[in-house]
Amino acid sequence: MTRADVPARPGRPRSARAEKAILEATVDLLAEEAGVAAVSMEAVAARAGVGKTTIYRRWPNKEKLIVDALATLKQPIPELSGQSVREDLVALARAIGHEQAGKHSRCHWNLLGGADRYPELLDRYRREVIEPRREVIRTVLRRGMRTGELRGDLDCEMVIAMLVGSMTLQARAPAPLKTLPDDFAEQAVDALLHGIAT
Amino acid sequence: MTRADVPARPGRPRSARAEKAILEATVDLLAEEAGVAAVSMEAVAARAGVGKTTIYRRWPNKEKLIVDALATLKQPIPELSGQSVREDLVALARAIGHEQAGKHSRCHWNLLGGADRYPELLDRYRREVIEPRREVIRTVLRRGMRTGELRGDLDCEMVIAMLVGSMTLQARAPAPLKTLPDDFAEQAVDALLHGIAT
């Protein structure tokens, strides 16, 4: 059987529309103040205007539904030129910054706020959504160490924490906290590359 | 009238105990999944075992109560040696890392998750809790620029975002996301000072 014979999902147009409505309803509920607790199959069905069976046909539980819904909020991983590490890091930093706006950040806060209560959900989110994106950054950093653009003794995890941390703190901050310039991605990458000491 | 004649708060020991119970109850409610929405004068009174009047005597509304409760979760600003910018930044970074554990981070997530709905609360939190701490970092950075330890053209706000962002992303990450070493504060400050490029 070739790959074309096996649709990834039982996807007639009608069920594609239902799927979109279900994922959007999940995001909306998750972005509300009660977070993960607000998401139930009943609440999602009611908001999406579908029957619960339609949801269960595709998602056996709310954890899987939430992870898929969160994935829809992620920007696609940007195309990297591969020309210079600086350029690639700026592209990645910009993508991180862009995806933090609005609902994404509220969902993310609410997910972490309930992290103690939903360890499996968090673990799946990490494996399926966060980790593939971190791996792209790691690949760029390792390339830089190989080409000599970066110091050879870098701890990639630390650099990732600095890059992602700077971009998320800046981009997620609600209006009165947000006082940073539009070219923050470039500035942050340059500060990270060249340091702030004399 | 001298300063000693004016107690900062109408504070007999009994009301000091009540105040502590009220602030703790507020933190507990805020750390729960519903966040700011879970905090009401009624709920705080019930959990603290005091009458609502006792709360209103000191806090006219829940926003002021929440800001004071959040302030109790902050580590005191560390004593800085003032000997070297590196040392002072490491001390500040460590303090930021320490205060992120447990309830603090859940309260913070929940506060930001509801930020759209409570702009005044967030604004007061920024002015009374966040800003004084940022100002300490700014003072260290400005001193470093004056002494020549740091580049003279730094954008302090950007450096603060990088330092605070790295430390909070690292420290707040729930267990499966947290893979960074204990000496992360030193490592992050050194990477920030000297850069990761060759």
Side-chain angles (χ1 to χ4, degrees), chain A residues 33-34 36-37 106 109-110 112-113 115-118 122-123 126 148-151 154-155 157-159 161-162 164-166 169 174 176-177 180 184 187-188 191-198, chain B residues 33-34 36-37 106 109-110 112-113 115-118 122-123 126 148-151 154-155 157-159 161-162 164-166 169 174 176-177 180 184 187-188 191-198:
Chain A
E33 223 173 337
V36 179
R106 287 209 305 284
W109 297 138
N110 287 337
L112 291 184
D116 299 354
R117 223 162 297 186
Y118 310 98
L122 199 79
D123 191 49
R126 181 184 65 78
E149 287 164 274
L150 300 181
R151 280 171 21 209
L154 288 184
D155 177 337
E157 305 313 303
M158 191 207 54
V159 178
M162 296 193 70
V164 177
S166 321
L169 186 81
L177 293 178
L180 290 163
F184 182 72
Q187 288 196 31
L192 193 55
L193 286 173
H194 305 299
I196 64 172
T198 41
Chain B
E33 223 173 336
V36 180
R106 288 210 305 284
W109 297 138
N110 286 337
L112 291 184
D116 298 353
R117 224 162 298 187
Y118 310 99
L122 199 79
D123 192 48
R126 181 185 65 77
E149 288 165 274
L150 300 181
R151 279 171 23 208
L154 288 184
D155 178 337
E157 304 314 304
M158 190 206 55
V159 177
M162 297 194 70
V164 177
S166 321
L169 186 81
L177 293 178
L180 290 164
F184 183 72
Q187 288 197 30
L192 192 56
L193 285 172
H194 305 299
I196 64 172
T198 41

Side-chain angles (χ1 to χ4, degrees), chain B residues 113-179:
Chain B
D116 298 353
R117 224 162 298 187
Y118 310 99
E120 280 184 43
L121 169 58
L122 199 79
D123 192 48
R124 185 171 297 132
Y125 177 59
R126 181 185 65 77
R127 276 187 284 115
E128 297 180 13
V129 183
I130 304 279
E131 207 29 63
R133 288 169 165 79
R134 292 176 68 100
E135 186 57 25
V136 175
I137 308 181
R138 241 175 247 129
T139 305
V140 173
L141 295 174
R142 288 201 200 103
R143 195 186 81 218
M145 288 194 266
R146 258 198 330 270
T147 60
E149 288 165 274
L150 300 181
R151 279 171 23 208
D153 62 344
L154 288 184
D155 178 337
C156 288
E157 304 314 304
M158 190 206 55
V159 177
I160 291 174
M162 297 194 70
L163 190 72
V164 177
S166 321
M167 293 311 300
T168 52
L169 186 81
Q170 182 264 343
R172 273 180 191 152
L177 293 178
K178 192 182 208 162
T179 54

